């Protein structure tokens, strides 16, 4: 028997802080749990709230957050209410769930968590404890369906696609940004197997937009789309881009799709990869415009693309010294970062601070970064699965010797605050400092800079 989803439930938590503490306690306890059995039961107990919403489902190895940001900002500036679900958060849990760019409020979060907790406990008793991400996904669905009522929901996968908890939904359109080597312990040891897992978000007859380039990965996506009778819109085939200009803080490109041409689109996010992300978002909007009557005036479109930003992606956090942070944490992300640093930025010396999680392809990451750095500062994020700074240094020194770059100074400083201060001290006026690696470190750095700024102002 289905419970009355609207019936009042005695609250378990008195504050949003208590609710969040309960949610995040399951990160080390349950880890990553793939599969939809628990989500399906929770949706049944809540009377299927996900069926009330129009989703844009975004998967891929890199670029998901940026594509979600472009989509959210454009749809919002076009006059619609838009919900956004992304992960991980940078500074606060509330960032995962947003309405029109604003984080979910403490009051709404507390209300939803108190409603779903008894159902989480019920499902845990029968199917095993839902993970932190599964709980977060349920919170987002319930909040959007019965509190926020957005016209569209921009919906980012957590890990993979086929067995990801977000895959409980049937979207208007699916997006697979790109395929790279990440989470291989869960998704498989080849690009084809990783792509097949991400292609699991493709639903029957639902169009797919992608910028996947590798033939074996693209074939896996095409095979799944053919099985589902879904049309694939591929960058370089159904839509194209031509970069016109690229300087720090502004890139301009022409977009050419099946339905129309959009010339001289400007974006403020840096790096050639962001032009691709923007083009993927534009093609997604074009499909929604063509088949689902989305109305976006060109004036709103151009303004939204130009003003879209996304924290932790080549984000300048200091002018003196000049520091940018970027959450590149896998080989493909490192490659995109290295290209951006060598084509967009000008500097005398490059001081590179990084902290990573364990279990990542650190050698693959270093392969792209070590040829361009002058100083390497290795630290550790404040996270339970952190990689040892000393272990990273051993890998880096071996690779630097192979590259004939023994002159590169390698600094080991496990405390990230001390490492950051050291990085700032090393960065002269004409230099550039980059902090990169796991997004958990990016969040800590952003919060620390804000805290220091507020302290200087006496707040």
């Amino acid at each position: 028997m289905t419970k009355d989803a609207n019936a009042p439930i005695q609250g378990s938590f008195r504050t949003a802080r208590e609710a969040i503490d309960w949610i995040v306690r399951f990160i080390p306890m349950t880890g990553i749990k793939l599969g939809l059995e628990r989500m399906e039961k929770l949706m049944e107990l809540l009377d299927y709230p996900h069926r009330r919403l129009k989703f844009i489902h975004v998967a891929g190895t890199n670029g998901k957050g940026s594509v979600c940001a472009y989509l959210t900002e454009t749809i919002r500036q076009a006059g619609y209410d838009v919900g956004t679900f992304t992960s991980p958060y940078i500074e606060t849990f509330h960032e995962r769930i947003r309405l029109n760019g604003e984080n979910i409020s403490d009051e709404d979060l507390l209300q939803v968590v108190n409603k779903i907790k008894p159902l989480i406990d019920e499902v845990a008793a029968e199917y095993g404890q839902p993970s932190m991400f599964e709980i977060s996904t349920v919170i987002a669905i319930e909040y959007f369906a019965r509190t926020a009522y957005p016209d569209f929901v921009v919906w980012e996968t957590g890990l993979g696609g086929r067995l990801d908890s977000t895959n409980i939904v049937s979207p208007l359109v699916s997006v697979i940004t790109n395929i790279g080597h990440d989470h291989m312990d869960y998704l498989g040891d080849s690009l084809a197997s990783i792509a097949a897992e991400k292609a699991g978000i493709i639903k029957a007859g639902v169009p797919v937009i992608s910028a996947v380039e590798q033939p074996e990965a693209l074939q896996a996506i095409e095979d799944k789309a053919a099985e589902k009778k879904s049309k694939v819109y591929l960058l370089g085939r159904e839509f194209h881009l031509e970069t016109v200009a690229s300087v720090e803080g502004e890139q301009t490109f022409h977009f050419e799709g099946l339905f129309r041409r959009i010339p001289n689109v400007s974006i403020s996010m840096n790096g050639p990869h962001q032009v691709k992300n923007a083009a993927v978002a534009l093609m997604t909007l074009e499909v929604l415009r063509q088949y689902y009557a989305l109305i976006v005036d060109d004036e709103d479109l151009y303004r939204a693309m130009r003003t879209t930003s996304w924290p932790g992606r080549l984000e300048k956090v200091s002018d003196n010294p000049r520091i940018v942070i970027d959450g590149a944490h896998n080989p493909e992300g490192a490659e995109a970062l290295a290209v951006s640093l060598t084509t967009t930025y000008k500097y005398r010396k490059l001081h590179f601070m990084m902290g990573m999680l364990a279990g990542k392809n650190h050698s693959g990451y270093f392969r792209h970064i070590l040829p361009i750095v002058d100083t390497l500062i290795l630290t550790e994020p404040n996270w339970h699965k952190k990689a040892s700074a000393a272990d990273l240094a051993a890998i880096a020194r071996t690779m630097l010797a192979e590259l004939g770059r023994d002159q590169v100074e390698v600094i080991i400083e496990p405390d990230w605050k001390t490492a950051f201060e050291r990085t700032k001290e090393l960065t002269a006026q004409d230099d550039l400092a980059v902090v990169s690696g796991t997004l958990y470190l990016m969040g800590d750095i952003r919060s620390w800079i804000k805290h220091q700024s507020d302290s200087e102002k006496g707040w």
Side-chain angles (χ1 to χ4, degrees):
M1 179 178 175
T2 301
K3 296 189 176 184
D4 180 359
N6 295 303
I9 297 173
Q10 182 63 42
S12 302
F13 306 108
R14 292 168 297 173
T15 67
R17 182 71 264 166
E18 289 180 3
I20 293 170
D21 288 343
W22 171 71
I23 297 165
V24 301
R25 68 184 285 215
F26 298 113
I27 296 175
M29 291 175 61
T30 65
I32 296 170
K33 300 180 79 168
L34 299 178
L36 293 173
E37 186 180 43
R38 290 172 298 277
M39 286 297 301
E40 288 168 349
K41 186 61 180 178
L42 285 162
M43 291 300 98
E44 177 188 336
L45 293 172
L46 285 164
D47 195 22
Y48 309 102
H50 58 309
R51 295 179 181 174
R52 301 175 173 213
L53 300 165
K54 296 177 180 177
F55 292 93
I56 303 165
H57 203 177
V58 182
T61 300
N62 296 308
K64 298 189 298 293
S66 298
V67 170
C68 288
Y70 285 120
L71 291 170
T72 296
E73 186 64 13
T74 305
I75 296 171
R76 183 190 70 80
Q77 291 212 28
Y80 297 93
D81 289 324
V82 54
T84 314
F85 179 66
T86 55
S87 63
Y89 62 85
I90 301 294
E91 293 183 54
T92 171
F93 178 88
H94 300 68
E95 295 169 24
R96 289 178 177 270
I97 304 166
R98 299 191 301 281
L99 178 69
N100 296 329
E102 297 294 327
N103 296 346
I104 185 172
S105 68
D106 280 350
E107 294 77 14
D108 288 337
L109 179 63
L110 180 62
Q111 179 185 20
V112 174
V113 172
N114 277 333
K115 178 177 181 177
I116 70 166
K117 184 182 183 300
L119 307 182
I120 297 290
D121 294 340
E122 180 180 334
V123 168
E126 186 175 356
Y127 298 94
Q129 175 61 49
S131 68
M132 180 280 293
F133 190 74
E134 288 173 312
I135 296 171
S136 302
T137 306
V138 174
I139 294 169
I141 290 173
E142 178 63 21
Y143 168 68
F144 291 139
R146 295 199 171 97
T147 300
Y149 308 109
D151 300 299
F152 298 93
V153 177
V154 178
W155 193 241
E156 182 188 351
T157 59
L159 191 156
R162 182 175 65 93
L163 299 175
D164 187 76
S165 63
T166 63
N167 205 29
I168 196 71
V169 310
S170 293
L172 299 177
V173 61
S174 302
V175 179
I176 302 174
T177 57
N178 51 53
I179 300 296
H181 296 85
D182 204 7
H183 300 297
M184 296 169 70
D185 46 342
Y186 291 97
L187 304 180
D189 59 2
S190 70
L191 291 177
S193 60
I194 294 170
E197 286 298 313
K198 294 184 185 295
I201 71 168
I202 299 174
K203 304 297 193 302
V206 174
V208 184
I209 291 86
S210 182
V212 170
E213 296 175 347
Q214 307 95 328
E216 64 272 35
L218 178 58
Q219 189 60 56
I221 292 168
E222 296 275 22
D223 288 347
K224 176 58 69 173
E227 175 191 326
K228 295 292 186 178
K229 295 181 170 55
S230 297
K231 167 72 174 174
V232 176
Y233 297 84
L234 182 67
L235 178 61
R237 192 178 68 193
E238 280 78 18
F239 64 105
H240 305 265
L241 67 85
E242 177 191 348
T243 301
V244 178
S246 179
V247 296
E248 185 178 347
E250 183 176 14
Q251 301 187 85
T252 304
F253 67 99
H254 300 320
F255 172 88
E256 184 88 44
L258 287 180
F259 310 122
R260 65 169 175 154
R261 183 173 189 267
I262 309 175
N264 295 311
V265 180
S266 291
I267 61 173
S268 61
M269 290 203 279
N270 293 307
H273 58 294
Q274 288 296 357
V275 179
K276 290 183 180 179
N277 291 336
V280 167
L282 283 175
M283 190 67 240
T284 305
L285 292 163
E286 285 293 283
V287 168
L288 290 168
R289 195 175 68 88
Q290 191 74 14
Y291 296 114
Y292 297 104
L294 178 75
I295 300 172
V296 181
D297 292 340
D298 282 355
E299 182 181 352
D300 296 326
L301 176 70
Y302 279 105
R303 182 174 59 251
M305 297 301 287
R306 187 172 59 252
T307 57
T308 295
S309 62
W310 190 236
R313 277 71 171 184
L314 280 172
E315 177 188 10
K316 184 188 287 188
V317 295
S318 171
D319 285 309
N320 187 24
R322 193 161 56 122
I323 304 173
V324 298
I325 62 174
D326 188 82
H329 57 272
N330 52 46
E332 288 75 16
E335 182 179 18
L337 174 57
V339 170
S340 300
L341 292 174
T342 54
T343 60
T344 303
Y345 293 83
K346 291 180 172 58
Y347 46 84
R348 185 178 63 90
K349 287 188 175 182
L350 177 63
H351 308 286
F352 199 93
M353 171 182 158
M354 63 175 284
M356 300 284 275
L357 297 186
K360 297 290 183 179
N361 184 352
H362 301 136
S363 296
Y365 184 99
F366 279 134
R367 185 172 70 252
H368 299 289
I369 295 301
L370 293 181
I372 66 172
V373 303
D374 294 291
T375 313
L376 182 66
I377 304 99
L378 298 167
T379 191
E380 298 173 4
N382 184 23
W383 195 250
H384 66 286
K385 293 196 301 180
K386 63 188 178 184
S388 160
D391 290 347
L392 290 175
I395 297 171
R397 284 177 172 140
T398 299
M399 296 182 70
L400 284 167
E402 293 171 353
L403 290 168
R405 303 204 73 222
D406 294 328
Q407 78 279 10
V408 173
E409 183 180 9
V410 178
I411 299 170
I412 302 172
E413 178 45 73
D415 181 84
W416 65 263
K417 291 181 183 177
T418 304
F420 186 58
E421 291 304 313
R422 181 74 184 276
T423 303
K424 288 198 294 184
E425 291 168 1
L426 288 167
T427 307
Q429 183 175 355
D430 296 332
D431 295 348
L432 176 67
V434 177
V435 183
S436 189
T438 174
L439 283 169
Y440 297 109
L441 178 61
M442 302 307 104
D444 287 338
I445 293 291
R446 290 180 97 251
S447 297
W448 179 243
I449 290 171
K450 182 179 178 182
H451 169 74
Q452 289 182 313
S453 175
D454 290 348
S455 297
E456 290 171 2
K457 295 173 182 176
W459 293 353

